Amino acid sequence: MSTRVLNCEEAQLLASGTTFACEGSMTWRAGVPLYRERGVEVTVNPDGWLVLCDGLTGKDHFYPPPFTVAWIALQRWGGDPHLATDEIAEMWQEDPAETLTAVQKWLVELRTARLIRDDHP
C-alpha cells in the first residue's frame, strides 16, 4: 500500500461527492466538543509529518511526527487530551503533565489557525 500526498485542490476534487469516514472527526477540550473546520483536510506524509490543509485558503500547516502521534491519539481517545497524552507519555516514557501541556498548547495553535473549532460545523 502506498501513500500519496495531495495538495488542497486535488483533495477537494477527490472529496466532491464522496463521504470519508474521517470527515467531521471530533476532539474534546474540557468536555467541549471540537471539530475540524469545514474544508480542512488531514494527510500524513510518508516521512510521518502531519499536514493540515485549509481548503479555504489553500494554506498547508505542517507538524513533525510527534504531532502526528498526538493527532492519532486524540482520534483514538475521542479527542480527550488527557487520555491521549496518558497513552503518549506511557509509550514514550515521558512526564504526562509535560505531554499534556504540549498537546494543549498545540490545540490552542490549531484553534488560532482556524483548523479546529468548538461548535458543530
Side-chain angles (χ1 to χ4, degrees), residues 10-72:
E10 290 172 322
Q12 286 176 334
L13 287 173
L14 287 173
S16 59
T18 306
T19 302
F20 293 96
C22 63
E23 186 62 34
S25 64
M26 299 172 28
T27 59
W28 275 262
R29 175 180 54 102
V32 178
L34 292 176
Y35 299 91
R36 275 189 290 141
E37 280 287 355
R38 191 173 308 275
V40 172
E41 294 295 326
V42 180
T43 306
V44 177
N45 284 342
D47 61 358
W49 280 66
L50 177 69
V51 182
L52 300 179
C53 179
D54 183 338
L56 298 176
T57 66
K59 183 177 180 181
D60 290 331
H61 300 262
F62 295 90
Y63 301 95
F67 290 98
T68 304
V69 171
W71 181 268
I72 293 168

Side-chain angles (χ1 to χ4, degrees), residues 28-31 73-74 77-90 96-97 99-101 103-104 107:
W28 275 262
R29 175 180 54 102
L74 285 164
W77 291 102
D80 185 316
H82 296 277
L83 294 175
T85 56
D86 284 347
E87 179 182 40
I88 294 166
E90 182 178 333
T99 305
L100 178 61
T101 299
V103 168
Q104 287 176 326
L107 291 174

